[in-house]
Amino acid sequence: METIKDYFGSLVFDDRVMKAMLPEKVYQSMKKTIDEGSELDINVANAVATAMKDWAVSKGATHYTHWFQPLTGVTAEKHDSFISPSPDGGVILEFSGKELIKGEPDASSFPSGGLRATFEARGYTAWDPTSYAFIKNKTLCIPTAFCSYGGHALDKKTPLLRSMEALNKQALRVLKLFGNTSVKRVTSSVGPEQEYFLITAEMYDKRPDLKYTGRTLFGAKPPKGQEMDDHYFGVIKPKVAEFMDDLNVELWKLGILAKTEHNEVAPAQHELAPIYSTTNIATDHNQLTMEIMQKVAARHGLVCLLHEKPFAGVNGSGKHNNWSIATDAGQNLLSPGDTPHENAQFLLFLCAVIKAVDDYQDLLRLSVATAGNDHRLGANEAPPAIVSVFLGDELNAVLEAIETGAHYAGTKKMQMKLGVDVLPKFNRDTTDRNRTSPFAFTGNKFEFRMLGSSNSIACANIMINSAVAESLRLFADKLEKASDFNAVLHDLIYKTVKDHKRIIFNGNGYNDEWIDEAVKRGLSNYKTTPDCMPHLLDKKNVDMLTGLGVFSEAELKSRCEIMLENYCKSVSIEASTMVQMVKTQIIPAVQAYSMDIAKAVKTKMAIDEAAVSEYEKQLVKTTAIYIDRMDEGVSALEAAIRGIGLCGDIIEESAYIRDNVLPSMSELRVACDEAELITAKNYWPFPTYGELLFGVR
Ligand code: ADP
Ligand code: MG
């Protein structure tokens, strides 16, 4: 029988395949390009392209595509077949180094936020050799970056790679100062835990809201939701288990290290976590995972919902971004070391993260901002919209001791004067957990929990990498000039703790008191996308991101515009969907019910007035009241929608939508959800929450 070992990565042009198929010299220069980012010459590219094509064709592929991640948030591909006519009337299969390295998809239909003037409608894709090519749907997919001809990034991968490079450069400077001269490269790694819902395709098909917007815009609370806490880690239902088995096989074939799967808090909610990998690959893999999840679900008669808040009243879905940085020798720089010397280095990297999160709270918040995620952040389930760092008791005590110059009250009593040789060894096994913190230290990595389930993880990691690179840059500037390294190091850590301790919060982030406390500490609390997104263009943020070479100013402007446009479009589509559903489905359903009751009342009256119950008479009136309420609600929402057209720029439009369209939608929903509860079940035009959430067996 074929085992996992046999088919794991079977659809990936990975190191094993390259080693086997490429001439030794070609393999070596390819390896150098992957490991060290050195340039690739065209002869090598030609040889790699031929091997890739031969391998892909042997696996049944007929086409190739440059696979990229435009700012739409999903991946894009344009397929070309390998065929080329031969003089004898047949075809030969060709794929050149040039075709491998560069592609020219027509870029004009991808969002560019004004970056791509019409005269340069053609963008180009450039091969990213650090992420392996793979086969999907008989197509060889080549991971690429996507740029305009002016060289502006039109995708998420380009700035991600730049942020990784910035982090590498600054971390190497710091490591060198600690005498770590053999390290060649520092890379950030990510393990994203992906949450999702599964419902039956049959029910999905009856819900226009799910189809058009990814979430339910209506639905009265079912008698049972998640209050029993009986779903989290519960027994996985057979149909879901079949889906998960199938999904694992598909992901493993693509070399994706799917590892953990379990039920989540809400009914019908589940989670999948892979083993972590380099940020760039983790990003590609997460995009693929989301795509494959949906495909595999369809094969099982299910639909996988990746929206952040598919159902009101039960938990939404997020994505936990576990992040760490390590050297090419495998040393995790966020892992407390075995020696005091290593611990001093660890503390400095820890401080770099603390400072980064405090200085760039706004960037972290806006990196996860979408219309969908706005429903989640700030509700009583996900981390609040306020960014803070959780360290755990032990580390906290260490930092406090450094700050106060006091004795460390932990396992060893000694003065926390940070000469390199007096720092205690602390416990690697940090067992205390805080599930409410947006940015939690979990022993040897940080877990950023604010991402929405449908977010590309690229955006968050661009900001984390960049902000930490910036801290390290400032630290290195100071330390490189130091005549007494230990004294300056101590000072630096002391000062960082003192200046940035406001961002550290070890309590319950779901608590209302925390919001007041956070305000007192001066932390920002951006509840919505229109609140936070414009801060992308704040001077301090532009200076940092352009200074590190992660974005150009033009790219930042375009991104801000595109993200706000996405927000406006998403909500507008939801609003229109609501109008349509209420007018053409909900009101007619309540009306039909009302009419039938009225007919019954009339029929009964004709026989004997006493046969008519008060209840029936009242119901005719109540349904009429609801019909009017819903009609008023629709009119108000339609008026709000019309107002969108009158807004000036996109910032104004997004604020208008937040303040006018969303509140009208909420009001209309309340009327409809109440109407659902007084309308006989067989009149209601779509599956209820109860049916959706408990429909999969
Ligand atoms: P927990 O249960 O504490 O959240 P897990 O060990 O289950 O932690 O890991 C959660 C995710 O974090 C997984 O995707 C895992 O691969 C990832 N992870 C573990 N170590 C690291 C690390 N050093 N860097 C980045 N991600 C990591
Ligand atoms: Mg976790």
Side-chain angles (χ1 to χ4, degrees):
M1 205 184 90
E2 218 189 18
T3 69
I4 303 177
K5 273 173 81 177
D6 300 319
Y7 62 77
F8 184 85
S10 60
L11 297 178
V12 186
F13 191 74
D14 60 16
D15 196 57
R16 295 174 303 183
V17 183
M18 285 190 254
K19 206 168 185 163
M21 291 190 69
L22 296 173
E24 179 62 19
K25 258 181 95 175
V26 173
Y27 172 74
Q28 287 307 340
S29 52
M30 182 64 200
K31 196 93 186 94
K32 221 167 129 75
T33 300
I34 294 173
D35 295 342
E36 295 164 33
S38 59
E39 277 217 22
L40 201 72
D41 94 50
I42 186 70
N43 296 323
V44 174
N46 279 329
V48 175
T50 304
M52 254 188 206
K53 183 232 356 172
D54 291 344
W55 168 81
V57 169
S58 79
K59 300 261 175 189
T62 52
H63 289 66
Y64 71 91
T65 181
H66 277 200
W67 185 76
F68 59 103
Q69 298 169 31
L71 295 167
T72 53
V74 290
T75 54
E77 42 198 80
K78 174 190 150 211
H79 298 182
D80 280 301
S81 72
F82 290 119
I83 60 166
S84 182
S86 65
D88 60 0
V91 288
I92 51 167
L93 301 179
E94 273 185 343
F95 186 48
S96 69
K98 211 169 132 247
E99 287 166 313
L100 168 63
I101 290 176
K102 193 166 167 179
E104 298 190 6
D106 183 357
S108 53
S109 309
F110 293 108
S112 75
L115 263 188
R116 197 191 41 246
T118 24
F119 62 85
E120 53 163 354
R122 289 171 78 78
Y124 69 91
T125 49
W127 180 31
D128 166 21
T130 62
S131 182
Y132 297 135
F134 56 91
I135 295 171
K136 183 166 68 77
N137 300 335
K138 295 189 172 183
T139 302
L140 170 67
C141 298
I142 299 148
T144 55
F146 180 42
C147 297
S148 76
Y149 262 107
H152 292 301
L154 295 173
D155 68 347
K156 303 194 179 197
K157 173 170 282 225
T158 308
L160 180 65
L161 292 171
R162 291 177 188 156
S163 74
M164 291 172 71
E165 194 46 51
L167 183 63
N168 169 51
K169 189 169 152 196
Q170 302 306 332
L172 284 180
R173 280 177 73 195
V174 169
L175 287 177
K176 207 172 261 166
L177 292 165
F178 278 91
N180 224 328
T181 47
S182 59
V183 178
K184 281 211 203 89
R185 218 177 157 76
V186 171
T187 325
S188 58
S189 301
V190 169
E193 302 165 56
Q194 175 75 48
E195 292 180 342
Y196 60 96
F197 279 85
L198 284 180
I199 61 168
T200 69
E202 196 192 337
M203 289 186 201
Y204 174 89
D205 286 336
K206 294 182 185 147
R207 299 275 324 202
D209 46 2
L210 284 175
K211 280 202 247 178
Y212 297 136
T213 75
R215 73 177 178 109
T216 53
L217 300 169
F218 306 98
K221 201 174 163 343
K224 182 180 183 221
Q226 65 190 44
E227 46 284 284
M228 302 287 287
D229 288 328
D230 52 357
H231 192 253
Y232 189 58
F233 279 31
V235 177
I236 297 174
K237 292 174 180 158
K239 194 125 179 74
V240 176
E242 281 166 27
F243 159 83
M244 285 178 172
D245 285 347
D246 201 1
L247 175 64
N248 281 335
V249 172
E250 293 293 327
L251 295 176
W252 288 334
K253 281 191 207 161
L254 285 165
I256 297 172
L257 293 154
K259 170 91 174 163
T260 313
E261 55 199 18
H262 59 79
N263 286 349
E264 262 299 328
V265 174
Q269 192 183 29
H270 313 280
E271 181 186 291
L272 174 103
I275 296 172
Y276 69 99
S277 52
T278 309
T279 316
N280 181 31
I281 291 173
T283 303
D284 286 358
H285 281 181
N286 184 248
Q287 291 298 128
L288 270 175
T289 300
M290 291 193 282
E291 182 184 329
I292 307 280
M293 275 177 163
Q294 284 164 310
K295 282 201 185 129
V296 172
R299 288 210 290 260
H300 291 259
L302 300 170
V303 174
C304 170
L305 302 177
L306 290 168
H307 193 283
E308 283 73 20
K309 194 73 181 172
F311 305 100
V314 296
N315 274 6
S317 300
K319 186 140 52 187
H320 291 174
N321 189 82
N322 295 274
W323 178 94
S324 69
I325 26 179
T327 66
D328 55 334
Q331 187 194 9
N332 181 346
L333 298 172
L334 294 177
S335 187
D338 292 327
T339 65
H341 182 81
E342 283 171 356
N343 271 341
Q345 183 185 296
F346 159 71
L347 274 185
L348 189 69
F349 277 95
L350 185 75
C351 282
V353 178
I354 293 169
K355 177 177 162 53
V357 177
D358 188 27
D359 286 343
Y360 299 103
Q361 298 159 44
D362 46 1
L363 288 181
L364 292 181
R365 170 64 184 91
L366 68 86
S367 74
V368 301
T370 58
N373 215 13
D374 282 359
H375 295 288
R376 207 180 137 251
L377 301 177
N380 255 359
E381 50 168 82
I386 305 163
V387 180
S388 66
V389 174
F390 169 85
L391 289 178
D393 293 340
E394 187 170 20
L395 262 186
N396 214 40
V398 170
L399 294 190
E400 254 169 32
I402 292 174
E403 194 206 344
T404 56
H407 285 269
Y408 173 50
T411 38
K412 281 184 195 169
K413 296 226 192 274
M414 53 171 62
Q415 183 139 34
M416 292 302 294
K417 189 93 183 115
L418 206 137
V420 183
D421 34 36
V422 286
L423 196 73
K425 178 173 182 232
F426 22 81
N427 196 351
R428 191 189 285 271
D429 184 21
T430 321
T431 44
D432 46 352
R433 278 295 162 98
N434 179 320
R435 299 262 165 220
T436 66
S437 174
F439 209 96
F441 186 69
T442 52
N444 62 357
K445 61 186 190 291
F446 277 94
E447 185 167 347
F448 184 34
R449 302 203 177 107
M450 288 173 95
L451 287 79
S453 46
S454 70
N455 284 164
S456 156
I457 64 169
C459 305
N461 287 296
I462 291 168
M463 295 311 175
I464 302 174
N465 289 342
S466 304
V468 174
E470 179 67 2
S471 300
L472 294 172
R473 184 182 73 81
L474 295 170
F475 289 176
D477 282 353
K478 282 222 171 78
L479 290 168
E480 278 167 0
K481 289 195 208 98
S483 50
D484 181 346
F485 180 76
N486 285 341
V488 175
L489 177 66
H490 182 269
D491 215 47
L492 200 55
I493 292 180
Y494 164 79
K495 214 170 156 318
T496 308
V497 175
K498 196 162 164 320
D499 292 349
H500 298 285
K501 68 175 177 200
R502 65 168 186 167
I503 198 75
I504 298 169
F505 176 64
N506 293 305
N508 183 356
Y510 295 176
N511 230 321
D512 282 345
E513 285 111 67
W514 165 231
I515 298 181
D516 300 334
E517 164 77 17
V519 172
K520 275 192 215 129
R521 292 188 189 190
L523 301 181
S524 53
N525 182 8
Y526 299 121
K527 291 215 173 70
T528 67
T529 304
D531 294 332
C532 63
M533 200 54 78
H535 291 286
L536 182 59
L537 302 179
D538 287 358
K539 186 172 179 321
K540 76 164 175 78
N541 295 333
V542 175
D543 286 351
M544 185 273 278
L545 292 165
T546 57
L548 291 173
V550 175
F551 285 109
S552 67
E553 196 167 345
E555 286 169 352
L556 286 171
K557 282 195 181 133
S558 89
R559 257 150 236 258
C560 181
E561 177 147 351
I562 291 168
M563 297 318 287
L564 286 172
E565 253 172 38
N566 283 348
Y567 173 86
C568 294
K569 283 183 194 159
S570 304
V571 182
S572 299
I573 292 170
E574 290 179 352
S576 309
T577 305
M578 262 192 134
V579 168
Q580 204 183 67
M581 286 173 79
V582 176
K583 278 182 158 173
T584 66
Q585 291 186 278
I586 300 183
I587 290 182
V590 180
Q591 209 181 10
Y593 179 51
S594 182
M595 199 56 205
D596 284 352
I597 306 277
K599 274 189 214 149
V601 169
K602 198 178 158 198
T603 314
K604 286 187 181 185
M605 284 276 224
I607 304 166
D608 179 357
E609 199 168 326
V612 184
S613 66
E614 269 318 302
Y615 172 75
E616 287 163 313
K617 278 195 249 168
Q618 192 55 44
L619 199 54
V620 179
K621 284 187 218 157
T622 316
T623 43
I625 292 169
Y626 272 106
I627 290 169
D628 280 341
R629 243 181 92 186
M630 291 190 287
D631 176 55
E632 279 160 31
V634 169
S635 301
L637 181 54
E638 282 177 322
I641 294 172
R642 277 194 300 277
I644 299 175
L646 305 174
C647 295
D649 62 4
I650 195 74
I651 293 187
E652 191 186 322
E653 184 178 325
S654 64
Y656 172 86
I657 286 180
R658 173 197 61 202
D659 298 337
N660 296 281
V661 180
L662 280 168
S664 300
M665 286 168 61
S666 300
E667 209 158 300
L668 177 56
R669 174 172 185 154
V670 171
C672 296
D673 289 357
E674 282 176 28
E676 183 189 325
L677 293 175
I678 57 148
T679 305
K681 173 96 196 49
N682 53 331
Y683 288 79
W684 202 250
F686 20 78
T688 62
Y689 264 33
E691 289 167 323
L692 289 165
L693 288 168
F694 298 95
V696 179
R697 270 168 297 166

